[in-house]
Amino acid sequence: MGVTREQLNDSSNTSSINDKPVTNHLSAREFTPRSSVEQWINQQLAKAGIAVNGPNPWDPQVHNTALWNRVLRQGSLGLGDAYVDGWWDCEQLDEFISRAISAQLDEKITGRWMMFRHWLAATFMNRQSEKRAYQVGEQHYDAGNDLYQAMLDPTMSYSCGYWHQAEDLHQAQLNKLRLICEKAQLQQGESVLEIGCGWGSFAELAATEYGVNVTGITISKEQKKLADERCKGLPVDIALQDYRTLKGQYDKLVSIGMFEHVGPKNYRTYMRAAHGLMKDEGIFVLHTIGKARASLGTDPWIDKYIFPNGVIPTLTQISDAVEPYFVIEDVHNFGPDYDTTLMAWHDNFVAAWPELKAQYSERFYRMWVYYLRVCAGAFRSRSLQLYQVVLRKQSGRLPRYQSLR
């Protein structure tokens, strides 16, 4: 199932993310490539304008020369584990990752067996089956509401903000929520289904500002608990439920940052379920991360520690799944805004650490910083996108849809 919060917070239990103890520490002055592996990796990094122990803030500072063999053997999993272990540091880790991806170093230094194993799992297993659907909730979203309340803005939105005419994270998240409401053309009294409701940010705003009745589902007990508290007294019902078990029909559908957990084997199942749950004249707004090129599986480090069983779809995969059920009325890509959002979350997390560290270990701190900054770098490189897709059922009776920005 991955690594639990308890394992990450137990500084004495490092076997799950350690191969070796931290040894062979070097200062920057002492570092010189000592093997053909180190020399080759240094040559690849130089193509991205990265110098090991160099003067730039995006240059990695290496404390353990065993890093290179670990990276060559395990790819991104080894790189991330080594960072958590303290084998290397980088002031601007996000920029390091952005440069490395832009230079396609992630494809050259892959840890091929690790990627092959993920390919096998994605090909022959349904890692996002109904039975496994609650794993990401237990591992990631249940990590602690105190953590997310400190990191996120007051709406508790855990997805990309819309930074058009926004000066801070809170305004960006309000912009995003209201944009979705406007794209869905919400009308007072309508019934709205939110597939993946998080801590209730959309449900609370849509019910309060647009007067709709919201049914939200989540696979996280902690999210449901806080969402129930936030939406108390509003026409909102939050259920701990998988999308495949839903029944009924709704005027409008919304899904924000949940499709990344569906998986390629279930894309058609998801769209078929959404089609059956929405009235013929309805609108479905899908907000999801997307990637530039299709590949089975996901990043091994992110899969192990952050989002187990997650897979980022391409626009083609979304389109193929949609085709039998919906017309695509609009596609809006504001992926660069996720870079800004992630860095704002990072800054909030770091600022809150003095209060959080009584409940979380230093290893958790390094893991969380790595997660946020690596993801920011991936969006900065434009290898990841953020799509808002507006869908309607295939019908010639519907009036023209006017896109919003």
Side-chain angles (χ1 to χ4, degrees), residues 73-120:
R73 186 174 70 252
Q74 297 181 323
S76 67
L77 180 62
L79 185 70
D81 282 356
Y83 183 87
V84 176
D85 287 347
W87 288 21
W88 65 285
D89 286 289
C90 187
E91 181 182 345
Q92 289 184 2
L93 178 58
D94 45 293
E95 184 63 19
F96 165 77
I97 293 296
S98 176
R99 287 169 173 263
I101 294 176
S102 296
Q104 299 182 328
L105 301 189
D106 55 322
E107 298 179 10
K108 297 176 183 177
I109 309 172
T110 57
R112 296 190 183 278
W113 162 244
M114 202 64 60
M115 294 303 296
F116 181 64
R117 189 173 73 179
H118 274 256
W119 177 84
L120 286 174

Side-chain angles (χ1 to χ4, degrees), residues 123-166:
T123 302
F124 296 107
M125 294 173 58
N126 183 358
R127 301 184 70 229
Q128 300 80 22
S129 65
E130 188 175 338
K131 183 178 180 181
R132 299 168 63 95
Y134 292 83
Q135 290 183 359
V136 67
E138 294 167 359
Q139 179 175 327
H140 187 76
Y141 297 112
D142 291 346
N145 284 341
D146 56 343
L147 167 66
Y148 292 108
Q149 286 172 314
M151 184 179 82
L152 305 178
D153 77 299
T155 71
M156 291 292 287
S157 292
Y158 193 26
S159 55
C160 181
Y162 187 45
W163 288 82
H164 178 61
Q165 296 182 338

Side-chain angles (χ1 to χ4, degrees), residues 5 8 18 45 66 129-130 207 209 211 224 245 286 345 347-348 363 377 383-384 401:
R5 171 181 173 178
L8 287 166
N18 273 334
L45 291 173
S129 65
E130 188 175 338
E209 297 189 7
K224 173 176 165 49
T245 65
L286 176 68
W345 290 343
D347 293 345
N348 287 346
R363 293 180 61 77
S383 63
L384 293 180
Y401 182 86

Side-chain angles (χ1 to χ4, degrees), residues 209-220:
E209 297 189 7
Y210 291 83
V212 296
N213 304 294
V214 183
T215 298
I217 64 167
T218 177
I219 42 73
S220 164

Side-chain angles (χ1 to χ4, degrees), residues 285-302:
V285 181
L286 176 68
H287 174 114
T288 180
I289 298 171
K291 59 185 175 184
R293 288 184 291 174
S295 61
L296 289 172
T298 189
D299 177 85
W301 191 89
I302 294 292

